[in-house]
Amino acid sequence: MKDTYRRNINYLRISVTDLCNLRCKYCMPEAGVEKIQHGDVLSIEEIITIAKESAALGIRKVRITGGEPLVRKGIIDLVEGISGIEGIEDVAMTTNGLLLKKYGKDLKKAGLNRVNISIDSLDPDKYRKITRGGEVQQVLEGIEEALTLGLVPVKLNTVIVGGENEEDILKLMNLTKIYPIDVRFIELMPIGQASSWSKEHFISNEEVRSRVPELLPLNQEIGSPAKYFKLPEAKGRVGFIDPISSHFCGECNRLRVTFDGKLKPCLHSSQEIDLLPALRNNEGSLKKLLTEAIVSKPEKHYLDTEEYEIITRNMSQIGG
Ligand code: SAM
Ligand code: SF4
């Protein structure tokens, strides 16, 4: 379905939990998020119902995210349910990769097409520090498992935080020489945990790029928010996603659903449409609410303008 600005809204990102087995500094409080009542979280069946209604309105691609989707009970059934919906052509997942070795085979069998894996450092100590306790070796094993199983294309997501992992820029890019993967740098966003300090630690992607002059520009993919480059002799690509310095709102084709059943037409707006009354009490129709979200999707975000309202939810609660 087209929105008011003639963008074709065909991509749904669903956060299936706000819980996580890591505590990345820019995403989660050290003590974790406050546990909300079990009943306030969307059930697996409710998520499938939302995906079905969305497919009827033109959603073709679904990304399952979180929190960490692989800690959600019933995740395999969820992937199977979504991949079986008529009209859904692509089911992807964003994960920290820690549990991919354990669940990769079942996910593939259930219909998952591909994974994006987040990794901000290859140095075990630094990775432990950024994630507050993670073991990077487990992520590397997860990456290899995804490649072996054909959960491809495998894309790695990296956030560079000034003063924390700048020395990892080239090391992470060099993974594209070893594996046929894309390593994508995503600018730090002033959301939730990071909203009070992200400005002082922000490193633009232009800056990241300028530190690796050997990167060669590639033709841009239509509809992709990433600009791609390549290192000489590499098997994979290096991508840059600049939500802050050059936003891609004009091509934004996505809607988001939070783990607690709120539809977000825009990541950087606090506008939320509650789906629970329609899902649970037959108050209003889901189709009408989804249509409302598409129609009310803002033309662009207002980060760095006076109209901007700080987003207090963490990325783990919205679904990054
Ligand atoms: N747990 C999974 C993971 O880490 O891939 C999925 C959810 S996580 C919220 C999705 C992505 O959001 C990760 O790549 C993470 O780096 C990114 N993210 C979280 N907070 C962010 C922030 N403040 N700015 C930029 N990216 C952020
Ligand atoms: Fe967890 Fe992903 Fe947030 Fe890190 S970025 S705390 S792995 S949800």
Side-chain angles (χ1 to χ4, degrees):
M1 182 176 160
K2 290 248 164 67
D3 74 357
T4 316
Y5 304 97
R6 306 213 47 78
R7 294 170 297 199
N8 188 19
I9 309 303
N10 57 12
Y11 180 15
L12 181 67
R13 296 173 72 104
I14 309 174
S15 169
V16 297
T17 179
D18 64 332
L19 303 178
C20 186
N21 44 2
L22 294 179
R23 299 279 181 272
C24 301
K25 282 185 176 172
Y26 49 73
C27 179
M28 277 237 184
E30 189 156 14
V33 288
E34 236 171 78
K35 260 202 165 176
I36 72 163
Q37 295 281 332
H38 180 65
D40 293 338
V41 178
L42 288 174
S43 70
I44 297 295
E45 294 72 29
E46 286 169 338
I47 299 174
I48 294 172
T49 303
I50 295 170
K52 243 184 222 159
E53 287 289 348
S54 306
L57 287 174
I59 295 293
R60 295 290 166 261
K61 179 170 143 189
V62 172
R63 175 169 299 279
I64 299 170
T65 176
E68 173 49 41
L70 294 181
V71 303
R72 173 73 203 247
K73 214 167 156 217
I75 189 69
I76 308 292
D77 293 340
L78 178 68
V79 170
E80 193 170 6
I82 292 179
S83 64
I85 295 172
E86 200 184 320
I88 300 294
E89 294 161 5
D90 186 25
V91 185
M93 181 178 282
T94 301
T95 169
N96 60 32
L98 294 182
L99 293 171
L100 263 182
K101 193 136 191 198
K102 182 167 179 194
Y103 293 126
K105 271 198 195 83
D106 290 340
L107 290 166
K108 176 79 182 171
K109 212 163 120 207
L112 187 72
N113 296 113
R114 57 203 177 87
V115 284
N116 287 5
I117 302 172
S118 305
I119 182 167
D120 297 336
S121 177
L122 291 174
D123 177 89
D125 289 333
K126 219 180 282 171
Y127 183 82
R128 233 175 265 130
K129 190 166 164 233
I130 295 172
T131 60
R132 300 194 183 105
E135 291 303 325
V136 73
Q137 184 55 31
Q138 243 175 292
V139 188
L140 296 173
E141 285 170 14
I143 295 169
E144 298 217 349
E145 182 73 356
L147 287 168
T148 307
L149 292 169
L151 289 168
V152 291
V154 173
K155 295 178 183 174
L156 304 192
N157 289 345
T158 293
V159 176
I160 297 297
V161 179
E164 291 272 351
N165 58 346
E166 290 170 73
E167 295 97 76
D168 282 277
I169 293 173
L170 189 57
K171 291 180 197 152
L172 285 158
M173 286 183 185
N174 277 336
L175 287 177
T176 65
K177 291 186 175 170
I178 307 171
Y179 302 113
I181 54 174
D182 290 347
V183 175
R184 308 178 324 157
F185 291 82
I186 302 174
E187 286 175 340
L188 178 66
M189 292 183 259
I191 290 180
Q193 280 308 291
S195 56
S196 60
W197 53 264
S198 66
K199 262 203 173 139
E200 295 88 77
H201 293 266
F202 180 74
I203 307 270
S204 72
N205 269 343
E206 202 183 338
E207 170 67 26
V208 173
R209 238 178 350 255
S210 74
R211 296 190 192 177
V212 190
E214 55 270 45
L215 281 173
L216 307 164
L218 296 172
N219 288 338
Q220 291 316 304
E221 258 177 34
I222 298 165
S224 167
K227 292 182 202 119
Y228 282 105
F229 292 73
K230 204 170 184 205
L231 286 173
E233 318 291 327
K235 296 177 184 166
R237 303 177 298 177
V238 175
F240 295 94
I241 301 181
D242 315 346
I244 304 298
S245 54
S246 58
H247 60 73
F248 37 82
C249 306
E251 286 159 49
C252 183
N253 58 351
R254 51 193 75 176
L255 281 186
R256 290 184 149 82
V257 176
T258 64
F259 70 102
D260 53 353
K262 312 287 183 284
L263 252 181
K264 279 184 79 73
C266 170
L267 172 63
H268 296 292
S269 155
S270 44
Q271 182 197 0
E272 294 185 349
I273 298 168
D274 192 1
L275 299 179
L276 292 184
L279 274 168
R280 297 186 177 172
N281 308 326
N282 279 329
E283 286 169 25
S285 97
L286 206 51
K287 185 172 172 195
K288 201 164 150 234
L289 293 174
L290 284 159
T291 309
E292 189 189 312
I294 295 173
V295 171
S296 66
K297 192 172 160 66
E299 183 181 12
K300 57 184 180 166
H301 69 60
Y302 293 98
L303 280 168
D304 289 333
T305 72
E306 280 180 7
E307 286 153 272
Y308 181 61
E309 275 177 75
I310 287 179
I311 310 297
T312 49
R313 276 187 191 257
N314 290 317
M315 278 296 260
S316 60
Q317 296 169 307
I318 302 169

